[in-house]
Amino acid sequence: MERGVADRMNFTLAAGGTGGHMVPAHALAAELKARGHGVMLITDARGARFPGLFDGVPVHILPAGRLGGGPIGMLKAVGSVLKGRAEAKNLYREHKPDAVVGFGGYPAFPSLLAASARRIPTVLHEQNAVLGRVNRLLAREADAIATAFSEIGRLKSAYQDKTVLVGNPVRDEIVKLGELPFPAFDDTAPLKILVTGGSQGATILSQVVPDGLGMLEPSLRRRLQVVQQCRPDDLDSVRERYKQLEIPAEVLTYIEDMAGRLRDAHLFIGRAGASTVAELSAAGRPAILVPFGAATDDHQTFNAREITQAGGARTIQQSDFTPDVLARQVEAIALDPDALANAASRALSVGRPHAASDLADLVERIGKGIAPIIVGPVSEPVAAPAFAAQGVPA
């Protein structure tokens, strides 16, 4: 149904310049535009350079300092935040958003501060299973907090009455994969594996995955077809190692058509970033996840919790990630075609394919001054989850 002028609202989305922030913000922007609303993006220079995102959406780059770096660094950061806040307040005088939606990251900080100063309703979206630093700083003033997981670390119980479980918005082409049958796989079919390490790759995957796949039981190894994304510095060595192992592999530094690659894949091996986990569960693809050990609050381990506990993934901590351990985990999930298909179904069971629509519903309610409908439990403590070494031999 086409919306009238009276139904049209304006929203400002504020997102840090990483893919983890930008992709869900892009998905929400597309949904809001499809509903006839006006959308503006505030980000930093990195976010403005992301290809293929926010087409037709006005983009504003604001200064935003990262809090840290000693006393001098802190002073510079505060100065940048105050400057960004002032610029955002001027933008809001011109564009008059009904609500401002923050996706975390330091570039979102001054935009949300400006919104609170001008009494514009705000919504925070947290992609990870642990509330990020910027969202923690802004949580008290926010009108609603949208989460991607049912349990969120570092989220105070005092905010439970404004916290809504919506999921992590992913692109439509990924959501549609979950509506398709899992790729055919039996005792003779090729086993197609997709390996990525986030937008910048991960050297440990380049070091471990080829040798791990080379250690597979012969009946599985000879059926491998691998696509691996890696850092430019690792490209030649990874390609040469697969050649030595006689494993067919396409090795590249950037995967443009992630939906197409994921569509063909039987198994994913990679990091447990929030967008990655959301895409795997929306598409229904089994995974072996290796959380980034240096992630703030170890949030990638917590990101992997839900899909792992559901049986859709196996989590291997980076300290345990060796070729032998990887080989045993791939065999455990892929030697039995039924087990692989079952893992795919279990991954899909925790997917939230309507996250963009549900988040848009929430944002509309807040923009209209309507209280959020509370859905989903939350948690405050952060402790090492018991599933962290699931399937890894002692």
Side-chain angles (χ1 to χ4, degrees), residues 23 50-53 171 173-174 177 193-202 205 225-232 235 239 249-265 267-271 276 279-280:
V23 171
F50 264 81
L53 300 184
R171 293 163 286 188
E173 55 266 35
I174 300 291
L177 297 181
I193 295 180
L194 174 63
V195 186
T196 75
S199 60
Q200 300 301 314
L205 296 176
Q225 291 183 6
V226 180
V227 175
Q228 180 160 349
Q229 173 243 355
C230 58
R231 294 178 184 273
L235 191 69
R239 187 175 288 142
E250 181 181 358
V251 183
L252 61 171
T253 58
Y254 180 72
I255 296 177
E256 185 170 351
D257 181 17
M258 181 58 73
R261 300 294 189 173
L262 206 54
R263 180 192 62 228
D264 296 336
L267 178 63
F268 173 89
I269 302 172
R271 293 301 199 190
T276 296
E279 290 180 348
L280 291 169

Side-chain angles (χ1 to χ4, degrees), residues 193 207-222 224 226 228 241-248 269 322-324 326-328 330-331:
I193 295 180
Q207 295 169 339
V208 172
V209 174
D211 286 344
L213 297 182
M215 297 173 66
L216 291 177
E217 195 271 340
S219 67
L220 201 58
R221 172 178 164 171
R222 62 174 173 259
L224 288 174
V226 180
Q228 180 160 349
R241 187 58 183 143
Y242 277 122
K243 184 178 179 180
Q244 293 171 355
L245 294 167
E246 299 181 342
I247 295 175
I269 302 172
T322 64
D324 179 67
L326 175 62
R328 302 295 80 78
V330 172
E331 289 174 351

